Amino acid sequence: MNRPLRVLSLYEGFFAGGARILHSDVVAGLHADGGQEHRVLSLTSAARRDASLQHAHDDTRFRTLRAAGVRIDTFDRVAGDQPMTPDSFSPAELAHAASLIADADMVLSLKEQPLSLIVALERAGMLPDRPLAACLHRSDPAHSGPALGWLVDAGASGAVSATISCAESTSVAYTRSGVATTHAWVIDNGIDTRRFRPGTRAERRSIRESLGIPETAAVVMLAARFDAMKDPGLFLDAVARHARRRPRTHYVLCGSGMTHRNPAFSALVAEAGLGADVALHALGLREDMPALYRIADVVALTSAFGEASPLCLAEGAASGAIPVTTDVGDAARVVAGFGLVTPRDAETIAATWQEALSRRIELRSAAISARPRLDRRRMVADYRGAIEELVLPEVLAA
């Protein structure tokens, strides 16, 4: 074949989230290599998430893809306003999507939500015959709502020909939920270790000073959006207990909705009994995550469900922080050898943070040593192989 493979990715929208970070890294990486030409269709141009309206063109992932030369089309919709069911697409949207798919050699769906478009095209007899892989990033398919049914049906009809799961727990969970495709891969998440790296002493001092955190204070950080899945209430309950043990510790929360401007967040702070004497930094959505990870001693995850292979644990570890996580998805496997796993109990979580701080030198060294296996170049190469395995037989037979 004398041209690059053409790959179209379907996004529900552009907004903060680990799956979008990961998939955009893959798309940008594969597009830059020259052997594949990538394009994105977003079903929305903005998203209402975590008490804020996020415009696609303001999103870091959107800007990164554009800068990499990836073409992006968007439908004029707001994610979160109304469910995007197969019946919600206009004839013009279906025609535009069908044209983009016909021009591609294969399609990647970022999670199962965009499959509402595929089901709509299939029902209308407008779906071009192209291999389609659903990229899955959850370990609780039931929380996908009707999107799980679309994936099951599209797999059964052959419209979805493959799945690419980011964790073993994800692959097992979707198989148990009735998803069956011709091909199935598990590709572990990877991160950009050039961005997520330990900071110099000068960098750490500067970042801490900007937040009013003393150079010698311990820092526990939660990098997550305000969502029941992440269980911020459990994190704040653990903060209340840990602050009594180590009152000079600072606690940093960053992610969409993790701000006192969100009334629901403020209510959880009050429920946990956290007063002005606790050094709580609720920063909300931030675009300087590599810098923030560099000041953390512990990167915490208190999720209740839904996680597959959480990026925050790898990003924190690559930056020299010690991951302490609940046992969700593949989290225990991700942090094996350099992190700690704890039950979902606030008192135990607080005690485990204290253990991590007491073993800081040992565990930080192990986390930094694990950087090569966390790097995204391995992930991008694995995606390249899966795409070629799925597409090349089709192209060569054409």
Side-chain angles (χ1 to χ4, degrees), residues 77 82-91 93-94 115-117 119-121 123-124 150:
R77 294 168 171 267
Q82 294 180 349
M84 284 183 293
T85 65
D87 297 329
S88 66
F89 296 99
S90 70
E93 288 172 333
L94 292 179
L115 295 178
S116 59
L117 174 64
V119 172
L121 289 168
R123 289 176 181 174
W150 303 333

Side-chain angles (χ1 to χ4, degrees), residues 313-346:
L313 301 177
E315 291 168 347
S319 305
I322 302 162
V324 177
T325 179
T326 49
D327 190 6
V328 288
D330 277 27
R333 182 170 66 87
V334 170
V335 306
F338 57 82
L340 302 175
V341 181
T342 174
R344 285 181 30 78
D345 171 76

Side-chain angles (χ1 to χ4, degrees), residues 169-223:
S169 57
T170 299
S171 182
V172 170
Y174 278 87
T175 299
R176 288 175 176 170
S177 295
V179 176
T181 57
T182 306
H183 298 78
W185 289 276
V186 175
I187 298 178
D188 284 339
N189 288 346
I191 61 169
D192 186 350
T193 54
R194 294 168 299 181
R195 292 182 66 227
F196 296 100
R197 58 168 178 79
T200 64
R201 184 171 181 179
E203 285 175 330
R204 288 166 57 85
R205 182 188 301 115
S206 174
I207 299 162
R208 283 173 173 246
E209 284 179 355
S210 71
L211 297 173
I213 301 176
E215 186 176 358
T216 58
V219 173
V220 177
M221 187 169 81
L222 175 65

Side-chain angles (χ1 to χ4, degrees), residues 112-113 138-148 174 227-229 304-306:
E112 57 270 46
Q113 283 75 18
R138 304 179 67 94
S139 60
D140 60 336
H143 283 83
S144 298
L148 175 59
Y174 278 87
D227 187 278
M229 171 179 141
F305 59 86

Side-chain angles (χ1 to χ4, degrees), residues 38-360:
H38 284 254
R39 187 168 184 172
V40 170
L41 172 60
S42 173
L43 305 192
T44 59
S45 56
R48 203 174 305 281
R49 301 253 299 177
D50 311 319
S52 65
L53 182 66
Q54 303 169 20
H55 293 279
H57 58 72
D58 292 330
D59 183 77
T60 300
R61 276 59 57 182
F62 185 98
R63 296 198 301 266
T64 298
L65 290 173
R66 276 280 175 86
V70 176
R71 296 178 62 184
I72 303 174
D73 295 78
T74 63
F75 289 161
D76 187 18
R77 294 168 171 267
V78 177
D81 276 358
Q82 294 180 349
M84 284 183 293
T85 65
D87 297 329
S88 66
F89 296 99
S90 70
E93 288 172 333
L94 292 179
H96 184 55
S99 174
L100 293 179
I101 294 172
D103 194 44
D105 294 309
M106 78 159 294
V107 179
L108 298 174
S109 175
L110 172 52
K111 302 170 63 168
E112 57 270 46
Q113 283 75 18
L115 295 178
S116 59
L117 174 64
I118 299 301
V119 172
L121 289 168
E122 192 172 30
R123 289 176 181 174
M126 298 172 62
L127 181 63
D129 184 15
R130 298 289 186 274
L132 190 155
C135 303
L136 305 175
H137 297 271
R138 304 179 67 94
S139 60
D140 60 336
H143 283 83
S144 298
L148 175 59
W150 303 333
L151 174 56
V152 171
D153 293 345
S157 72
V160 172
S161 46
T163 58
I164 301 177
S165 300
C166 72
E168 293 287 353
S169 57
T170 299
S171 182
V172 170
Y174 278 87
T175 299
R176 288 175 176 170
S177 295
V179 176
T181 57
T182 306
H183 298 78
W185 289 276
V186 175
I187 298 178
D188 284 339
N189 288 346
I191 61 169
D192 186 350
T193 54
R194 294 168 299 181
R195 292 182 66 227
F196 296 100
R197 58 168 178 79
T200 64
R201 184 171 181 179
E203 285 175 330
R204 288 166 57 85
R205 182 188 301 115
S206 174
I207 299 162
R208 283 173 173 246
E209 284 179 355
S210 71
L211 297 173
I213 301 176
E215 186 176 358
T216 58
V219 173
V220 177
M221 187 169 81
L222 175 65
R225 68 183 184 275
F226 186 81
D227 187 278
M229 171 179 141
K230 305 294 184 179
D231 204 346
L234 178 59
F235 176 83
L236 293 169
D237 286 343
V239 167
R241 288 159 174 78
H242 187 261
R244 290 195 289 269
R245 297 169 181 245
R246 191 160 176 167
R248 295 181 181 176
T249 302
H250 285 242
Y251 306 91
V252 175
L253 300 95
C254 41
S256 183
M258 292 292 198
T259 167
H260 290 290
R261 293 189 298 274
N262 177 3
F265 173 81
S266 293
L268 287 182
V269 172
E271 286 178 23
L274 298 175
D277 58 320
V278 177
L280 195 70
H281 305 263
L283 305 180
L285 188 60
R286 300 280 293 220
E287 298 295 349
D288 58 345
M289 290 307 302
L292 293 175
Y293 281 124
R294 287 174 200 143
I295 67 167
D297 297 294
V298 170
V299 58
L301 188 70
T302 51
S303 293
F305 59 86
E307 299 285 4
S309 180
L311 284 180
C312 65
L313 301 177
E315 291 168 347
S319 305
I322 302 162
V324 177
T325 179
T326 49
D327 190 6
V328 288
D330 277 27
R333 182 170 66 87
V334 170
V335 306
F338 57 82
L340 302 175
V341 181
T342 174
R344 285 181 30 78
D345 171 76
E347 190 65 44
T348 307
I349 290 170
T352 308
W353 292 347
Q354 192 58 30
E355 179 187 351
L357 291 171
S358 68
R359 298 173 58 192
R360 170 126 177 79

